[in-house]
Amino acid sequence: MKCNADIQIVGKKVVLVPYKKKHVQKYHEWMQDPSLQEATASEPLSIDEEYSMQKSWAEDEDKCTFIVLERPAEMGEMEEVDAMVGDVNLFFNDVDDAQAAEVEVMIAEERARGNGLGVEAVTLMMAYAYSRLKTRKFSAKIGDSNHASLSMFRKRLGFEFASRSEVFRETTLELLVDDEAKGKSVVDQASKLCIQRYSKE
């Protein structure tokens, strides 16, 4: 998505930056892991296919992607690629509701899991979508075996059960931001969102 090509979103634990060519090699290395392929329902790509995919994502107005960086304060000074821990995405694929998006997060680095980075990355992404893209409904499709993600979206992010597919063995969870009780954290985060210019290629 072109609208996020030159911005970064700064949180307490993570920084979200646009997916650039320099990030592709490490992303490609992550996606050779069978467990990540299974968790993200992805097929392994060649490095050339990965570069093509990065370019298409940057131009696709139905997809918003950020790379998740662990903030330097957490591990000392790091180069940006070294600070990569995962990615977070929005898919605007509901033809009947322009204010709806599917959200997906991957914390690929094992050392970074269980520290709240995924929760903050998703919260920042939803706050950005709420304030800048006018998104009001979020859904997440999660494989039944991905207990950590199911727990995170339900218990930490306030998503509720919407449906389950026996065929794909996945559960769909939803969050309505206009629900005062469930969407409050997104609205609160949106009011204090720290968006900065990103000029690194």
Side-chain angles (χ1 to χ4, degrees):
M1 185 173 278
K2 295 178 181 178
C3 67
N4 76 315
D6 60 356
I7 64 168
Q8 63 180 14
I9 304 173
V10 181
K12 294 180 178 179
K13 296 181 177 182
V14 302
V15 179
L16 307 185
V17 301
Y19 185 28
K20 299 292 186 180
K21 189 175 181 179
K22 65 182 177 183
H23 302 128
V24 172
Q25 180 62 47
K26 187 165 185 177
Y27 188 90
H28 176 68
E29 291 170 6
W30 286 340
M31 298 314 298
Q32 303 311 299
D33 184 338
S35 65
L36 290 179
Q37 292 171 17
E38 180 180 0
T40 58
S42 301
E43 295 292 330
L45 301 178
S46 69
I47 187 63
D48 289 339
E49 289 172 326
E50 210 78 76
Y51 278 110
S52 296
M53 187 71 74
Q54 179 271 327
K55 184 178 180 181
S56 70
W57 286 357
E59 298 172 352
D60 188 345
E61 292 304 314
D62 292 328
K63 181 179 174 65
C64 181
T65 297
F66 284 100
I67 292 294
V68 181
L69 308 181
E70 189 170 22
R71 287 197 66 174
E74 300 295 307
M75 292 185 64
E77 291 300 320
M78 288 188 282
E79 293 294 329
E80 184 171 299
V81 171
D82 293 334
M84 289 172 60
V85 294
D87 72 335
V88 60
N89 305 282
L90 289 176
F91 303 95
F92 295 89
N93 48 22
D94 189 331
V95 295
D96 297 318
D97 189 351
Q99 294 185 322
E102 180 184 342
V103 61
E104 176 185 275
V105 65
M106 174 181 73
I107 300 299
E109 294 288 339
E110 288 191 28
R111 62 169 175 76
R113 296 174 190 163
N115 299 319
L117 305 188
V119 172
E120 184 173 87
V122 173
T123 301
L124 291 173
M125 176 63 110
M126 292 194 298
Y128 169 72
Y130 173 80
S131 64
R132 298 296 181 91
L133 307 177
K134 310 304 180 187
T135 310
R136 295 295 181 268
K137 177 182 176 182
F138 296 94
S139 63
K141 295 180 180 179
I142 304 170
D144 291 342
S145 62
N146 194 342
H147 303 296
S149 286
L150 286 168
S151 177
M152 182 185 80
F153 275 90
R154 280 174 162 162
K155 297 180 180 179
R156 303 288 303 279
L157 295 166
F159 280 61
E160 295 184 334
F161 177 84
S163 63
R164 183 175 182 278
S165 170
E166 292 287 349
V167 174
F168 295 106
R169 296 182 181 178
E170 67 181 16
T171 297
T172 298
L173 306 176
E174 289 184 350
L175 175 69
L176 299 178
V177 180
D178 291 335
D179 181 323
E180 291 186 7
K182 296 295 183 180
K184 186 177 185 299
S185 63
V186 176
V187 176
D188 288 348
Q189 184 65 57
S191 68
K192 56 187 178 183
L193 203 58
C194 179
I195 298 178
Q196 300 175 348
R197 180 170 175 76
Y198 181 88
S199 57
K200 304 173 186 176
E201 287 298 329

